[in-house]
Amino acid sequence: MTRVEFTAEAKVLMDELRSFHGPIMFHQSGGCCDGSAPMCFALDEFKVGANDVFLGNVDGAPFYMSASQFEYWKHTHLTLHVTPGRGASFSLEIPTGKRFLIKSRLFSHEEILELQPPLMGKQH
Amino acid sequence: MSDVFNRPQLKDSYGNYINGEFKAPVDGHYFDVTTPIDGSVITKVPRSNKNDVDAALDAAHAAYTTWKNSSVTERSNMLLKIADIVEENHHMIAAVETLDNGKSIRETVFADIALVIDHFRYFAGVIRAEEGSVSELDATTVSMNIKEPIGVVAQIIPWNFPLLMAAWKIAPALAAGNCVIVKPAEQTPASICVFMELVGHLIPPGVLNVIHGFGPEAGKPLAQSPRVHKVAFTGETTTGRLIMQYASENLNPVTMELGGKSPNIFFPSVMDADDEYLNKAVEGAVMFALNQGEVCTCPSRILVHEDIYDAFMAKVVERTNAIKMGSPFDMSTMMGAQASEDQFNKIMSYIEIGKEEGAEVLCGGSAANLGGDLDSGYYIQPTILKGHNKMRVFQEEIFGPVTCVTTFKTTEEALEIANDTLYGLGAGVWTRDAHEAYQVPRSIEAGRVWVNCYHAYPAHAPFGGYKQSGFGRETHLMMLNHYRQNKNLLVSYDKNALGFF
């Protein structure tokens, strides 16, 4: 049972970014403005801390979220989408005029039973 | 005042503002700026990179050698002149801000730009009245504290109040004697171009510079530069952490304003009478729709005592349904467009998450189709969801015209719900009980608690967050110390040696 998946459009954009920047990673943001949006960085551009949760790999790219935020998101399955739009942040896709977007649904009761506790800290 | 403002015409493109003039980007690349009102292109600004950032840093460092010794009078007078020019062009700048961001003209006229003017005047005033301190430690030893500017500072501005958030940062930094490099949000870079056209000549070259572009290309080299002495940021948590990581490489101080999930609490006494106060309290609950909800302190969690829930929320829903949407240039329009298409899509996805989690839609709940040219803009109905505090829509900043309501039975329960969030930026408390009006705010973990009001941002009242909402206090003279060093002169008036050596 995965916690995070991605759409075909997300993979296309990820491939485009990798062709420029090499391996990439994601960290889910919270808070103001572009908060609640996933941030995409060159791998290790963002320093993952001991209090980040590793949610899994999306097409080989590690996806993290702060543990405090995960407390509120842990019952949610995430899917990495793409939307047109001019985001504002340090996320790598901003210059393309597209923005990564998380869509989500609640895990079913059966799925929650299958979930493994997530790993903490850097896992890549 | 005309009821419908004309849509302003911008230049085809603007440059970066470096060393007192607009300059084309070094590599010659620009990007289109669109208005969320109808999605059309309104101008172009530079797609800057490290080369442009370096040019701005060169200009700022050169200017700093003299600007750091400028007199308080000179700086204060400059800020006053900036305020005067903005005031003379108040409505024109407001219309540009509406075009840039999509918010209604009634808000840019009466809130954004009015506050910009006042903010420059406030910092012009406080630095004239401020004094350092002197302590006589003993009969022959005196300690003097003198405030010195910190140097060249970088300021990364959000898109929700483009010019006001810039003014919040620029005014105190200049007042304190720093040179500044501003990086506006790539969604809303237009109004600061018009601002610099108007006031640039008042500011010595290099003292205030504006670099446009995208975060990873222009924001990163600015935030990471060892030639920057301080970084101020308003935005979200991941970018906040990234900027702090960059700052740590240079041992630079930072201030962070990172948003919230603000509770707005209504106690039973609110409904004790059907009077002006109740009318104000109902409006206070509907303030979630201000700026289309794109405010870090959006009162996005309404907590209502269960005894008054039905009667109070009936009024709130009625008032929310009366919100007029339409052309943002029409003074009667209460709510305009969301700032961008991705923002629109994110908000809509949260409304769906709320429905899926079982929240009840009390009003709104879908996009607003306003017809005509506005069909290609990004409009969402003001939406109230009823649910409980563990739902994601109660915990995550939606940054749209969406608020969530739940009930409480006791003051203790209200406080527990209010504080059960990662954030601590703003909160509202509504009560006619004088004891409640003091004790409840003191127990809320937030940097700003509005009591019997909401969404007021006057200069002279410090604003900033607890918990994951960040640190640092804006809109107050204490902000000056975020842009200064303390020079301590420890002076001996004793002619005698210590006798150690």
Side-chain angles (χ1 to χ4, degrees), chain A residues 71-84:
Chain A
E71 269 305 297
Y72 293 103
W73 289 52
K74 61 188 174 189
H75 299 308
T76 311
H77 180 272
L78 309 178
T79 304
L80 187 69
H81 280 251
V82 174
T83 170

Side-chain angles (χ1 to χ4, degrees), chain A residues 42-73:
Chain A
L43 193 67
D44 290 330
E45 176 75 21
F46 181 92
K47 312 269 188 303
V48 174
N51 294 316
D52 284 308
V53 171
F54 173 67
L55 295 186
N57 287 308
V58 280
D59 193 33
F63 194 109
Y64 295 92
M65 177 187 296
S66 75
S68 54
Q69 192 166 335
F70 181 74
E71 269 305 297
Y72 293 103
W73 289 52

Side-chain angles (χ1 to χ4, degrees), chain B residues 410-458:
Chain B
T410 63
T411 301
E412 291 70 28
E413 188 188 5
L415 287 169
E416 186 187 325
I417 297 171
N419 290 331
D420 180 12
T421 169
L422 299 177
Y423 305 103
L425 190 56
V429 173
W430 296 82
T431 176
R432 300 176 197 249
D433 181 315
H435 301 88
E436 238 165 29
Y438 184 74
Q439 287 157 1
V440 171
R442 289 300 308 277
S443 299
I444 294 176
E445 296 158 359
R448 159 69 58 80
V449 183
W450 283 282
V451 180
N452 291 329
C453 60
Y454 206 97
H455 267 337
Y457 300 92

Side-chain angles (χ1 to χ4, degrees), chain A residues 21 27-37 39-42 44-52 65-78 82-107, chain B residues 31-32 34 47 156 158-160 185-187 214-217 219-221 223-224 233-239 241-243 245-246 249 257-260 295-296 340-343 345-346 349-350 353 356-357 389-392 395-399 419-423 468:
Chain A
H21 303 285
H27 192 275
Q28 174 66 42
S29 191
C32 200
C33 303
D34 283 41
S36 311
M39 297 297 168
C40 179
F41 304 115
D44 290 330
E45 176 75 21
F46 181 92
K47 312 269 188 303
V48 174
N51 294 316
D52 284 308
M65 177 187 296
S66 75
S68 54
Q69 192 166 335
F70 181 74
E71 269 305 297
Y72 293 103
W73 289 52
K74 61 188 174 189
H75 299 308
T76 311
H77 180 272
L78 309 178
V82 174
T83 170
R86 175 74 69 222
S89 71
F90 285 40
S91 197
L92 285 178
E93 81 281 15
I94 300 291
T96 67
K98 295 176 191 152
R99 191 74 182 88
F100 286 115
L101 173 77
I102 286 292
K103 292 206 172 178
S104 51
R105 63 173 179 82
L106 295 178
F107 283 118
Chain B
F31 68 93
D32 287 342
T34 59
R47 180 177 172 176
I156 297 175
W159 45 261
N160 56 345
E186 44 270 62
Q187 287 152 320
F214 301 127
E217 297 173 354
K220 180 185 164 187
Q224 206 166 22
F233 174 67
T234 294
E236 29 64 46
T237 55
T238 295
T239 307
R241 278 180 58 181
L242 184 66
I243 288 172
Q245 288 173 6
Y246 292 153
E249 295 168 14
E257 203 273 81
L258 304 176
V295 194
C296 309
S340 63
E341 187 174 358
D342 56 312
Q343 189 61 22
N345 286 329
K346 188 177 80 179
S349 88
Y350 268 110
I353 289 169
E356 192 193 352
E357 282 184 303
N389 198 53
K390 293 297 179 191
M391 289 177 169
R392 283 186 53 196
Q395 289 297 334
E396 294 163 35
E397 185 150 40
I398 299 172
F399 228 61
N419 290 331
D420 180 12
T421 169
L422 299 177
Y423 305 103
Q468 292 192 23

Side-chain angles (χ1 to χ4, degrees), chain B residues 243-263:
Chain B
I243 288 172
M244 288 179 72
Q245 288 173 6
Y246 292 153
S248 77
E249 295 168 14
N250 300 313
L251 289 174
N252 272 341
V254 292
T255 43
M256 295 272 148
E257 203 273 81
L258 304 176
K261 193 68 187 176
S262 302

Side-chain angles (χ1 to χ4, degrees), chain B residues 142-177:
Chain B
V142 174
S143 163
M144 274 186 270
N145 291 313
I146 298 168
K147 302 295 185 185
E148 296 183 348
I150 208 163
V152 172
V153 302
Q155 304 181 326
I156 297 175
I157 311 295
W159 45 261
N160 56 345
F161 294 84
L163 205 51
L164 180 59
M165 292 300 103
W168 277 20
K169 289 182 167 49
I170 292 169
L174 294 181

Side-chain angles (χ1 to χ4, degrees), chain B residues 211-228:
Chain B
I211 293 286
H212 296 284
F214 301 127
E217 297 173 354
K220 180 185 164 187
L222 181 61
Q224 206 166 22
S225 172
R227 300 170 72 200
V228 161

